[in-house]
Amino acid sequence: RGASIHGEVRGFAIAAGNGELPQHDDPERLGKRLGRVIEQVLDESGALPDVVSLHADGIASHDAAERAAIARTLAGSSAPPVLLRMKDT
C-alpha cells in the first residue's frame, strides 16, 4: 500500500507485580522486578533498544526505580536509547 516503515517493535514487556501495586516506599524491590523484565525483553528481542517508552506514573519512588532499572540493565550500551516520557512528572 506504499506505506513507509519508520520503526519495528522487537520487544515488549510489562511488570504488574502479581496484580498488586508495590508500596510507594519500596523502590528497591520494584527496581529489581523491572530490571528482570527489561532483561527478559532484551533476551527475547535479541537487540538493544533505540527508544524506551517510560511509564512515568509520577510517583517519585516508582520513577526512581524505573530509571535505576534502565540504567543498570543498559549500562554497557555504546549508545544509550532515547527515553520517551508519555506524561511529564
Side-chain angles (χ1 to χ4, degrees), residues 30-41:
L30 178 57
K32 287 180 180 178
R33 188 173 78 230
L34 291 173
R36 287 191 302 271
V37 171
I38 293 168
E39 289 169 357
Q40 178 184 353
V41 76

Side-chain angles (χ1 to χ4, degrees), residues 5-69:
I5 298 172
H6 297 284
E8 176 182 17
V9 176
R10 294 192 56 179
F12 173 83
I14 188 167
N18 298 325
E20 298 175 18
L21 291 174
Q23 297 298 314
H24 295 299
D25 58 353
D26 196 2
E28 180 76 22
R29 183 175 71 97
L30 178 57
K32 287 180 180 178
R33 188 173 78 230
L34 291 173
R36 287 191 302 271
V37 171
I38 293 168
E39 289 169 357
Q40 178 184 353
V41 76
L42 291 174
D43 287 345
E44 289 176 7
S45 72
L48 292 173
D50 297 322
V51 177
V52 174
S53 177
L54 303 174
H55 182 264
D57 65 7
I59 299 171
S61 60
H62 293 186
D63 294 346
E66 182 178 50
R67 283 190 303 273

